[in-house]
Amino acid sequence: MLKHSAKRAAFSAFRLSGFNALCRAAATGRLLTLCYHSVISDDRPEEKYRCRNAVSVRELREQLAILKRLFTPVSADQIVDWLTTGAALPPRPVLITFDDGYRNNLTVAADELARSGFPALVFVATGYIGSTRLLWTQELDERILQWRSGWLPLPGGDEAAVGRDFESRTQLAERVRKLCKQLPNQARHDYLERLRGDGPLTLQTWQRELYEFMNWDDVRKLAHRGLAIGSHTITHPILSRLDREELEHELQHSKAVIERELQRSCQLIAYPNGGPDDVSPAVIEATSRAGYEVGFPLFGGFSKRSPDPLVIDRMPVCGQESILRFHAIVSGTLHLFQSSLGVHRY
């Protein structure tokens, strides 16, 4: 409680002192790109863990109003022109992006974006589009939260005790997810397949809204509404953990499928997970060879026009952000503060 109160006081001080405004002024001429994931109909404060990457309609509406007041919405086409031809962007530009390809991007988010006058860019993981599977990170969470035995096998062969309470299970899920992100791709697949032996998952209606992916007709509807579509690979792997053949397949095939389904060029990609360890020089080189023009990691800062348009930074927006913290995020204050402490999200 004290830690939470201290953070709230700090975010309030950043805003009231004018420090947020000072940070925004220092970023003049740079691009703010925000990364969203799911947008769900209702607030679910009791589900902070499962909804950590989901905002509610209410939250999105409030956040778009703040962005409209402080920034100028720009489209993916404007960003491509800015990076490739040197075309100017308007003052204080902001680009809204969504990762993964959840159906709620169409059924919930699209109307809010249109109502607020925001273009957006949606990155889809093509292997999940039209499927009933959960994204592997979310399936991993659910497997551990619903695990039936008192012991869970860990990557590498050890076991961990599984507590009965929700908090201890979320801590275990965090630990296992971090371990899985360090595994070679096939080892991660094998581990998750082992966990599937525990039996089917049980999902409530609201969880289906949170996890369900679009099909290709849904993606085309988004495109027809003017939202840009980019690649988020096929299976959402950690690209730096792939061998050369796997990497090229994830990049090239996802691009080809999007172009076939939408009958338009796919120039844009968001790197899964997107942290500094996930976007290696080899990944960027392979992305260039695959024919992408612009790539988006998730390091957490503003972007200036870069000599390498395959590294255009974004800031993540998590679920249940306070308005004060959201102001600190979009001003760059939080990133500056975390960087000074050596704190990273990944």
Side-chain angles (χ1 to χ4, degrees):
M1 182 65 71
L2 286 175
K3 185 177 180 181
H4 178 74
S5 297
K7 286 183 178 179
R8 183 169 56 188
F11 294 141
S12 179
F14 289 153
R15 188 178 181 191
L16 293 175
S17 68
F19 191 60
N20 283 344
L22 185 64
C23 286
R24 290 196 303 273
T28 298
R30 299 192 175 197
L31 169 68
L32 169 65
T33 305
L34 296 180
C35 173
Y36 288 86
H37 292 82
S38 275
V39 181
I40 54 177
S41 302
D42 301 314
D43 291 294
R44 291 200 165 268
E46 77 285 1
E47 287 289 350
K48 189 172 182 65
Y49 182 76
R50 284 185 171 102
C51 295
R52 63 191 180 277
N53 285 329
V55 298
S56 68
V57 170
R58 179 193 60 79
E59 289 175 307
L60 181 63
R61 193 173 293 158
E62 290 178 347
Q63 291 169 6
L64 292 178
I66 292 169
L67 293 172
K68 197 68 175 287
R69 189 168 70 249
L70 299 177
F71 298 91
T72 306
V74 294
S75 68
D77 285 344
Q78 287 175 280
I79 301 307
V80 173
D81 288 344
W82 176 59
L83 293 168
T84 59
T85 71
L89 289 178
R92 304 179 305 283
V94 60
L95 174 66
I96 301 293
T97 70
F98 292 85
D99 279 7
D100 302 329
Y102 299 106
R103 191 164 187 269
N104 56 53
N105 293 176
L106 172 66
T107 59
V108 183
D111 285 342
E112 291 301 321
L113 292 165
R115 189 175 295 115
S116 300
F118 274 82
L121 167 55
V122 179
F123 295 105
V124 298
T126 58
Y128 290 94
I129 300 301
S131 82
T132 57
R133 294 184 298 151
L134 272 62
L135 190 73
W136 72 264
T137 51
Q138 293 170 328
E139 182 183 358
L140 189 64
D141 283 343
E142 288 297 337
R143 290 281 165 201
I144 295 171
L145 294 176
Q146 299 186 35
W147 191 253
R148 295 166 176 83
S149 170
W151 291 90
L152 178 79
L154 297 175
D158 293 333
E159 288 187 321
V162 180
R164 293 180 180 273
D165 61 293
F166 187 79
E167 183 178 357
S168 68
R169 288 188 176 231
T170 61
Q171 291 172 355
L172 180 58
E174 289 275 2
R175 175 186 170 192
V176 173
R177 190 171 63 254
K178 289 178 181 177
L179 289 172
C180 283
K181 288 180 179 181
Q182 301 302 314
L183 293 176
N185 200 44
Q186 188 58 53
R188 176 176 60 80
H189 280 296
D190 292 345
Y191 176 71
L192 192 50
E193 191 60 38
R194 183 179 180 186
L195 296 190
R196 289 174 181 141
D198 191 51
L201 295 171
T202 300
L203 299 178
Q204 300 177 45
T205 300
W206 73 266
Q207 289 173 281
R208 297 187 185 281
E209 181 190 40
L210 176 67
Y211 295 143
E212 184 182 7
F213 282 91
M214 291 183 283
N215 59 38
W216 283 110
D217 282 341
D218 294 329
V219 179
R220 280 186 281 271
K221 287 177 183 176
L222 271 186
H224 290 155
R225 293 188 66 164
L227 280 74
I229 308 297
S231 168
H232 204 36
T233 72
I234 307 169
T235 63
H236 200 281
I238 306 301
L239 293 176
S240 60
R241 301 288 179 261
L242 305 183
D243 62 33
R244 181 181 175 118
E245 184 177 347
E246 290 173 325
L247 178 58
E248 290 182 348
H249 178 66
E250 288 281 344
L251 297 171
Q252 295 172 9
H253 186 69
S254 59
K255 185 177 190 295
V257 169
I258 292 169
E259 292 178 341
R260 183 190 71 217
E261 293 289 345
L262 301 186
Q263 293 295 295
R264 63 182 68 181
S265 174
C266 176
Q267 303 170 299
L268 311 167
I269 186 168
Y271 308 106
N273 210 51
D277 292 336
D278 312 318
V279 187
S280 64
V283 167
I284 295 170
E285 182 181 346
T287 303
S288 177
R289 287 198 307 271
Y292 294 98
E293 292 191 17
V294 184
F296 294 86
L298 195 56
F299 300 160
F302 284 86
S303 288
K304 59 184 177 181
R305 185 184 286 121
S306 170
D308 190 351
L310 291 174
V311 188
I312 301 302
D313 205 357
R314 298 187 294 167
M315 297 183 186
V317 180
C318 299
Q320 302 178 44
E321 303 277 23
S322 70
I323 291 299
L324 290 172
R325 191 174 192 275
F326 184 75
H327 272 281
I329 290 170
V330 302
S331 300
T333 314
L334 181 61
H335 179 64
L336 178 66
F337 184 66
Q338 290 176 334
S339 298
S340 69
L341 297 176
V343 175
H344 302 286
R345 180 173 178 265
Y346 309 99

